[in-house]
Amino acid sequence: MVDESMYRENILDHYKRPRNRGKLAHASCCAEGDNPFCGDEISFCIKAGKGGKLEEVKFDGHACAICVASASILSEEVSGKKLSDARACSKEKLLSLLGIDPDPTRLKCALLPLKVMKLAIYKHLGKKMSKEDEDLV
Amino acid sequence: MGKAHAHDVGQVASDVGVMVRAGHHCAQPLMEMLGEAATVRASFYIYNTEEEAGRLAKAVKRASELLG
């Protein structure tokens, strides 16, 4: 029996029609990251607006369905939020939005966008990434 | 396979009990030469059966439909 529980409708929808994918003109800061074991490459650009809010977020790159869906869902989740709240987004929160419970290998695919998005915010704020966020992937 | 990523093809194959290798295969210079981020490799040996080959073929078709 085929168990495609990982490829649920929302994952496939975000994979095939990713939100906020592309280049961001006049970005405040960009960051990129990859997972050399599987070949996922993701970049995130953010535009900081008034009141310390994340005015716009865009991601780009080549990655598997889980990674692209995760980046797309994450970009929707953090858009318009305060930079500090976006940076505080937990892996549990992202996984609950994705609605999957990936094995350790695919977990890296799901969490790479979160780490790269956070890295862009850390870079923008001129701060060093916390150990906890560093260890996400 | 269309646009399907190697890891996704591997996952769909795994779901029907077929183990393949997906990724760089510890050969990044080759991937660069091929211009690919990652590839999938299926290897046969004397213990593999025709039924298993059929399952692999179905998994490849399924992955292509689902993610290609």
Side-chain angles (χ1 to χ4, degrees):
Chain A
M1 197 194 113
V2 178
D3 171 20
E4 283 146 0
S5 55
M6 201 82 94
Y7 301 106
R8 290 176 184 177
E9 203 178 326
N10 72 319
I11 301 272
L12 290 175
D13 178 43
H14 279 271
Y15 170 61
K16 290 181 177 171
R17 283 178 296 276
R19 297 8 162 219
N20 303 307
R21 184 176 198 164
K23 306 275 177 244
L24 180 59
H26 312 297
S28 309
C29 203
C30 293
E32 53 192 46
D34 65 352
N35 182 351
F37 294 105
C38 70
D40 285 342
E41 294 171 354
I42 284 280
S43 66
F44 260 87
C45 286
I46 60 167
K47 191 192 278 180
K50 287 175 185 167
K53 285 193 174 173
L54 207 46
E55 196 176 288
E56 218 179 334
V57 181
K58 284 211 181 238
F59 78 95
D60 216 346
H62 302 284
C64 67
I66 305 298
C67 190
V68 170
S70 171
S72 174
I73 288 170
L74 178 65
S75 72
E76 281 195 322
E77 169 64 15
V78 298
S79 285
K81 287 206 167 156
K82 279 187 174 178
L83 285 171
S84 53
D85 290 340
R87 195 181 60 174
C89 181
S90 68
K91 62 178 176 184
E92 290 79 14
K93 171 75 182 170
L94 180 58
L95 291 175
S96 78
L97 290 170
L98 278 163
I100 54 171
D101 182 20
D103 62 36
T105 311
R106 301 312 298 275
L107 187 62
K108 288 177 190 288
C109 306
L111 297 181
L112 179 65
L114 183 61
K115 185 175 180 181
V116 178
M117 185 276 294
K118 288 187 182 212
L119 184 60
I121 297 177
Y122 276 103
K123 274 175 77 180
H124 174 67
L125 297 173
K127 290 186 176 173
K128 195 175 176 296
M129 196 172 225
S130 72
K131 177 83 172 68
E132 193 189 349
D133 287 337
E134 196 71 61
D135 292 341
L136 272 172
V137 178
Chain B
M1 288 308 303
K3 294 185 293 176
H5 189 281
H7 253 196
D8 295 319
V9 178
Q11 182 85 49
V12 174
S14 171
D15 290 343
V16 291
V18 175
M19 300 299 123
V20 293
R21 190 162 178 203
H24 281 155
H25 315 283
C26 301
Q28 276 155 289
L30 176 63
M31 294 299 127
E32 278 174 32
M33 194 194 86
L34 294 170
E36 296 290 344
T39 60
V40 185
R41 188 184 71 215
S43 304
F44 290 90
Y45 199 53
I46 51 171
Y47 43 68
N48 285 117
T49 64
E50 197 173 334
E51 187 270 331
E52 287 165 345
R55 266 193 279 154
L56 170 64
K58 275 185 191 164
V60 169
K61 189 165 178 282
R62 186 78 188 115
S64 179
E65 288 166 357
L66 203 60
L67 304 146

